[in-house]
Amino acid sequence: MKPLILLNFKTYKEVSGDKALVLAKKISQVSKPDYTVAIAPPLLSLKQIAQKVKIPVYSQHVDYKDYGANTGRILPAEVKALGCMGVIINHSEHRLPIAVIEKTVIACKKKKLKTVVCAQSLGVIKKVAQFKSDYIAYEPPALIGGAISITEAQPGIIVKAVDLVKKLSPRTKLLVGAGVKKAEDVGQALALGAKGVLIGSAAAKAKDPKKFLKELLI
Ligand code: G3P
């Protein structure tokens, strides 16, 4: 299984409107056969992007609701129908109660969407591991968007997180994110046992996204 490099565009101004598609196309043109490079564009660009690029597209959020009277909700069924591969659930910038995370994972599994459940601590990893998502993404909020990578700041916790997930949900893969921006960060994450990384600002704000990705993945 190739490491997953999930580039979360968030809602940065740099990816507003049609700029998200421009970035998505540039990323999709970089060939890195040893990795699975996926993107999570702003929700309002999902349809446009999922139809135009061949790399896996993830939704930055989803609700567990199905068709019906659910004003403003993002339905797993619709996300799937747009051609998305998976979803991010409980991102640090879009937290959900534990019971809602469980319902959301169940709803996404029903639609055969890959699930990336974010967790900010070993304690939360312990709770969400029981939902057997495809991935758990460990992201300490204090390091998100910062200069120091999680791999430099918390190598010991990453190892603990890897072990914890292996023990509680052996088929779930651990990703890490926060401050990841260099090849060394990715290399270190994989060396510590993570199966991939989540990257936000460094990808969304890259001046030259192709160069960024080529240099990130060696
Ligand atoms: O989802 C990725 C994320 O929260 C990390 O953001 O900007 O630290 O790479 P960033």
Side-chain angles (χ1 to χ4, degrees):
M1 182 66 101
K2 296 177 190 181
L4 175 64
I5 311 298
L6 180 49
L7 308 177
N8 179 5
F9 295 6
K10 307 198 176 185
T11 53
Y12 285 115
K13 189 123 194 246
E14 288 83 349
V15 295
S16 63
D18 291 340
K19 289 185 212 146
L21 178 60
V22 174
L23 176 59
K25 280 186 176 164
K26 285 184 181 161
I27 287 168
S28 71
Q29 284 159 8
V30 177
S31 164
K32 286 289 175 183
D34 294 340
Y35 300 87
T36 298
V37 176
I39 52 172
L43 291 178
L44 296 179
S45 314
L46 263 190
K47 180 174 184 202
Q48 187 191 25
I49 291 177
Q51 289 172 348
K52 291 233 168 76
V53 299
K54 294 225 155 55
I55 56 175
V57 175
Y58 279 63
S59 178
Q60 293 180 12
H61 167 76
V62 76
D63 297 294
Y64 63 83
K65 305 285 183 182
D66 208 341
Y67 292 109
N70 300 301
T71 303
R73 300 292 186 173
I74 310 290
L75 310 184
E78 286 292 280
V79 166
K80 182 73 184 180
L82 294 183
C84 288
M85 165 79 73
V87 302
I88 297 172
I89 298 166
N90 191 44
H91 190 275
S92 176
E93 291 136 19
H94 200 144
R95 287 283 185 234
L96 302 171
I98 289 289
V100 174
I101 297 174
E102 179 174 24
K103 286 181 183 170
T104 311
V105 172
I106 292 170
C108 290
K109 281 187 180 180
K110 271 190 198 147
K111 298 295 170 197
K112 301 209 171 356
L113 287 162
K114 297 266 180 217
T115 46
V116 176
V117 175
C118 297
Q120 66 271 41
S121 65
L122 294 174
V124 175
I125 290 177
K126 233 180 239 173
K127 288 186 188 158
V128 299
Q130 55 181 320
F131 309 144
K132 316 277 181 227
S133 54
D134 296 286
Y135 298 93
I136 291 176
Y138 170 55
E139 296 199 321
L143 297 173
I144 291 178
I148 299 172
S149 161
I150 179 174
T151 54
E152 292 166 55
Q154 300 194 349
I157 302 186
I158 295 176
V159 171
K160 284 190 185 148
V162 169
D163 289 346
L164 195 56
V165 171
K166 230 180 245 167
K167 188 172 122 206
L168 298 176
S169 180
R171 300 173 90 157
T172 300
K173 291 172 274 299
L174 185 89
L175 307 175
V176 295
V180 175
K181 51 177 76 66
K182 304 188 298 280
E184 293 88 316
D185 304 334
V186 176
Q188 177 75 345
L190 301 180
L192 293 169
K195 300 295 181 209
V197 294
L198 256 82
I199 301 178
S201 45
K205 297 181 177 193
K207 294 263 174 301
D208 183 342
K210 286 191 189 177
K211 185 167 176 272
F212 165 73
L213 200 55
K214 281 181 194 159
E215 291 175 357
L216 181 80
L217 306 176
I218 42 175

